[in-house]
Each structure stands twice: as structure tokens, then as C-alpha cells.
Amino acid sequence: SAIGVALLLHWLFGGIGICLGYHRMLSHRSFKVPQWLEYIIVTLGALAIQGGPTFWVSGHRQHHAHTEHLDKDPYSAQRGFWWSHMQWILCPQPEFFDANLYQKFAPDLMRQPYYRWLDRNFLLLQVPLGVLLYALGGWSFVLYGIFVRSILLWHSTWLVNSASHLQGYRTFESDDGARNLWWVSLLTYGEGWHNNHHAYPHVAKSGFRWWEIDMTWWAIAVLQKVGLAKKVVMYPPQAQP
């Protein structure tokens, strides 16, 4: 049951909070939901312990603006697998953790007091989560629901920056090394179709071909079906491999 909790929260905080919320909704504005729902989804993203929304979105927008540039891409694959995977966090370059840079790359988020609060206090959210998990299942739920889940989710997300820039196939021609990697997509709810994403970053659906499984898109499609997701950006008619 504790393993089940870890997997459930991996999907809830990673698949919905990070992939759907931080990435496709905030970073690329691929779709729009009501403000109350946006706050809920972004709070789930903050629970993933990957930083507050303006930090995450600013870094990702820099990655797309300067993909694989040695000095301007925070997790440039040109620096090697381990740099793009986790060294950029373990050996941080101060300029990429500067609030002034957040203002430049994520001004839309910096204007919102709640998102600035999440930037400062996202770690505190683990306290009520830990209390809830302990009440539901004791220390095993806390261990797997917070620590095991966090480690698995960190490495799943980082594989998009590292492995998906080194291995896989390319559907679209582009001037960067982003590739489509099926096993990363399975671990990240569709984010491993990275060549597709870099070719059309503002599209809500990362999978292009029918067999490219994209669970994050399934969730967006459900929200669209019930009328909660609007202005959903799709591949343009001229998109061709």
C-alpha cells in the first residue's frame, strides 16, 4: 500500500502538477483553465519539491530560448549527461537562480502574489502532507509518499533534460538535439516525445503519432471535454514529419 501511495503521488504531483501544470499550462500556455483550478494544479506542482512555479517556469523558458547553449541554457546537454540530469542543481550557477531572471522570463507569474508565496514556501507544503500520510498509514506512508516518491520523480523529470537530448529518434528537423524517447515518455506521462515538443513547444499534446502515448494530454483532453480547459493549442495543419 505504501508503494501504491508513492506511485499515486508520483502521478498526481508529477503528471498533473509538473507535466500538466508547471510545464504545459504555465511555461507554454498551451491551454487555459479557470483561475481556481490553475491554483490547485500549480499547488500540486509545488508539492513535487521541484521549486516554486516562477523558478521552474523561468528555467524552462530559458531552456527553450537558448536550447543547449553552453552558458544560457540552465541544463544544457552540451555540458554532458550528468550536468543536464542533475549537476545543474547540485552545482548551481548563481545567474540561473536570480530573482531578476525570473522577472525577465516569467513576469506573468511574478505578478501573482500566490505564486511568489509558493516560491518561498513550497517546502513547507510537505509538513501537512506528511501529517496526512502519517494519519493514513504511519511512517511507511511518509517514507514512500514523500522521500521515495520525491527521488523517483526528480530523476523522472531530469531524464527529459538528459536522456531525451542524447537518445531516441527525430520526427521533425530542428536545430537542437531533442529526441523522442519512448521509455522516458512512459516515466514522465508523455514528456519524452521531446523532439515533437521542441518543434512545437506551445502545443498541448506532445505525442504526434497515434502510438506516441501521452498521458498528460489525456488529462488535458478530459478537462477540455468537461469545459474546464479552453484555448487548447493543437498541432497546426501544416505540421509534417
Side-chain angles (χ1 to χ4, degrees):
S1 58
I3 294 174
V5 167
L7 295 176
L8 174 63
L9 296 183
H10 185 286
W11 167 77
L12 186 62
F13 299 158
I16 302 300
I18 296 295
C19 301
L20 185 148
Y22 273 23
H23 187 208
R24 303 193 197 186
M25 182 177 67
L26 290 188
S27 297
H28 298 292
R29 298 298 183 185
S30 299
F31 63 96
K32 185 175 179 60
V33 298
Q35 190 72 72
W36 63 266
L37 181 56
E38 179 177 311
Y39 282 171
I40 290 173
I41 294 172
V42 172
T43 302
L44 294 175
L47 281 160
I49 323 182
Q50 295 190 11
T54 57
F55 160 76
W56 202 102
V57 170
S58 173
H60 190 72
R61 288 176 178 174
Q62 290 172 66
H63 169 66
H64 275 271
H66 309 289
T67 305
E68 297 181 352
H69 190 285
L70 280 173
D71 300 316
K72 296 182 179 180
D73 181 350
Y75 25 87
S76 173
Q78 292 298 319
R79 290 176 175 264
F81 175 89
W82 287 111
W83 175 266
S84 58
H85 189 73
M86 60 190 295
Q87 276 185 302
W88 69 277
I89 288 286
L90 299 177
C91 307
Q93 294 182 315
E95 61 268 27
F96 296 125
F97 295 81
D98 185 349
N100 293 323
L101 207 61
Y102 305 164
Q103 183 64 52
K104 177 181 178 181
F105 282 92
D108 50 332
L109 305 188
M110 287 292 287
R111 287 192 293 267
Q112 300 200 43
Y114 181 58
Y115 292 163
R116 295 199 303 271
W117 184 88
L118 284 177
D119 281 329
R120 297 190 303 268
N121 300 290
F122 69 93
L123 281 175
L124 291 178
L125 297 179
Q126 299 303 305
V127 175
L129 174 63
V131 171
L132 176 62
L133 290 173
Y134 183 80
L136 292 175
W139 286 113
S140 64
F141 273 32
V142 175
L143 175 64
Y144 279 84
I146 293 182
F147 296 97
V148 173
R149 177 267 305 173
S150 299
I151 292 169
L152 290 175
L153 185 51
W154 288 338
H155 286 282
S156 299
T157 303
W158 296 338
L159 281 168
V160 177
N161 301 331
S162 55
S164 294
H165 277 264
L166 295 175
Q167 300 177 10
Y169 63 92
R170 292 159 58 87
T171 298
F172 299 98
E173 292 296 327
S174 61
D175 58 359
D176 58 61
R179 299 175 179 276
N180 296 323
L181 194 53
W182 67 270
W183 59 268
V184 172
S185 281
L186 293 181
L187 293 173
T188 58
Y189 311 100
E191 301 289 63
W193 309 122
H194 210 44
N195 170 251
N196 299 347
H197 174 60
H198 271 260
Y200 295 95
H202 298 292
V203 170
K205 182 180 182 182
S206 284
F208 182 74
R209 295 189 169 97
W210 67 267
W211 45 265
E212 292 176 340
I213 296 173
D214 185 356
M215 290 180 64
T216 301
W217 163 247
W218 297 350
I220 296 170
V222 170
L223 292 175
Q224 184 181 33
K225 186 73 173 178
V226 299
L228 289 173
K230 301 183 182 299
K231 298 182 179 180
V232 179
V233 182
M234 300 299 292
Y235 284 103
Q238 68 270 22
Q240 295 294 329

